[in-house]
Amino acid sequence: MKKYVGSLLALPGFLLLLGVLVVPVGFSIYVSLYDCDYLQFTKFVGLGNYINILTDRSMLMDFARTFYVSFLSLILSMVLGSLLAIWIDSRKRLIPYMLQMIGLIPWVTSMVVAALLWKWLMDYELGLINYILSLLGLGKQSILINASTSIYGVIFVMTWRTIGYSMVIILSGLKAVPAQLEEAASIDGCANWQILRYVKLPMIKTQLLISSIVLTMSNINNQVLPDALTGGGPGKSSSVITLTMYKEGFTFARYGVSSAIALLILLVNIVLVINYVKAVKYDV
């Protein structure tokens, strides 16, 4: 009986994983192979849904916008978060400590609340930002209701939400760098930028990798923020693929197409994570 104790202890976790991950993914694969409207499996189409998605110009544009928004936001978050982390690591005063405390507030704030807050701030008629701009004589800006700028409103809010996360994770890595290594490099005549480049950055590879993976997955799979902020509009100027997936499933009840899009997004996530790990030669 003792030899089965480990298996019995792991069984609840296995059943939970089976119920919330394996079964839903398996059912989504099954649904994606059918012409399934309103959960009526009318016709087996095989890979037809996938082919239609990958040959539909509108959906390909949604994928392109998703990558554009996700990676531009990722780059901005990682660069700004890294700069803030490096600055905080080199300071011991009150302001750096305050930044550490408030840095994660945007990340843990409900995305719906954050999106609605920024939607109000950027509102053309009643927004605080446009009110301040008008007081300064700069004129109002129609950021979220302009087809050429709405996507940058989404990128801005997405970046605002994720900077604090990258800052805190990278800062934790910088704090863990042994002081003896910095002292040795300083004695050898290295400047501060050389210590950062050749000592600190190689030692925070894990933190950089974790931040990149988490933020990329968060950005690509983020449906709530674009939906609450712009609804994908005006037109489809700020529409991302997760928003299209949501509308196909919950607005038009085309579950076959929606499931196929979801599985394509899952495949994109897997490919990106594998390439991230290979890119940094992560072997620990």
Side-chain angles (χ1 to χ4, degrees), residues 130-241:
N130 277 320
Y131 175 70
I132 294 173
L133 290 175
S134 63
L135 289 179
L136 297 174
L138 299 176
K140 295 182 178 181
Q141 301 297 317
S142 55
I143 299 172
L144 299 180
I145 59 175
N146 190 320
S148 61
T149 59
S150 60
I151 193 169
Y152 296 104
V154 175
I155 291 171
F156 172 80
V157 178
M158 197 172 285
T159 303
W160 166 83
R161 176 178 173 267
T162 53
I163 286 176
Y165 177 85
S166 62
M167 179 195 75
V168 170
I169 297 298
I170 294 169
L171 181 61
S172 68
L174 291 172
K175 293 292 187 183
V177 175
Q180 296 89 335
L181 293 179
E182 297 182 51
E183 293 171 2
S186 180
I187 292 172
D188 288 340
C190 292
N192 288 335
W193 71 268
Q194 291 174 314
I195 294 174
L196 176 65
R197 168 67 179 84
Y198 297 106
V199 177
K200 290 186 175 181
L201 289 182
M203 296 196 69
I204 62 172
K205 180 173 65 174
T206 299
Q207 286 75 18
L208 291 171
L209 177 65
I210 291 173
S211 296
S212 298
I213 291 175
V214 170
L215 295 187
T216 301
M217 300 304 100
S218 174
N219 292 344
I220 287 179
N221 299 309
N222 195 330
Q223 175 269 324
V224 175
L225 195 149
D227 192 11
L229 195 62
T230 65
K236 294 199 71 176
S237 59
S238 61
S239 178
V240 292
I241 194 61

Side-chain angles (χ1 to χ4, degrees), residues 103-118:
L104 279 177
I105 291 178
W107 177 258
V108 300
T109 301
S110 165
M111 282 191 284
V112 174
V113 173
L116 293 177
L117 172 63
W118 280 105

Side-chain angles (χ1 to χ4, degrees), residues 77-115:
S77 296
M78 291 299 292
V79 171
L80 295 175
S82 297
L83 292 175
L84 283 171
I86 292 168
W87 182 77
I88 291 172
D89 186 53
S90 63
R91 297 290 189 275
K92 302 297 182 184
R93 296 182 180 178
L94 178 62
I95 293 179
Y97 285 114
M98 292 294 294
L99 281 176
Q100 291 182 62
M101 289 191 293
I102 67 176
L104 279 177
I105 291 178
W107 177 258
V108 300
T109 301
S110 165
M111 282 191 284
V112 174
V113 173

Side-chain angles (χ1 to χ4, degrees), residues 120 153 284:
W120 170 74
V284 178

Side-chain angles (χ1 to χ4, degrees), residues 265-280:
I265 295 172
L266 174 62
L267 181 61
V268 168
N269 282 296
I270 293 171
V271 171
L272 286 174
V273 170
I274 291 173
N275 281 279
Y276 272 142
V277 175
K278 286 184 176 180
V280 297

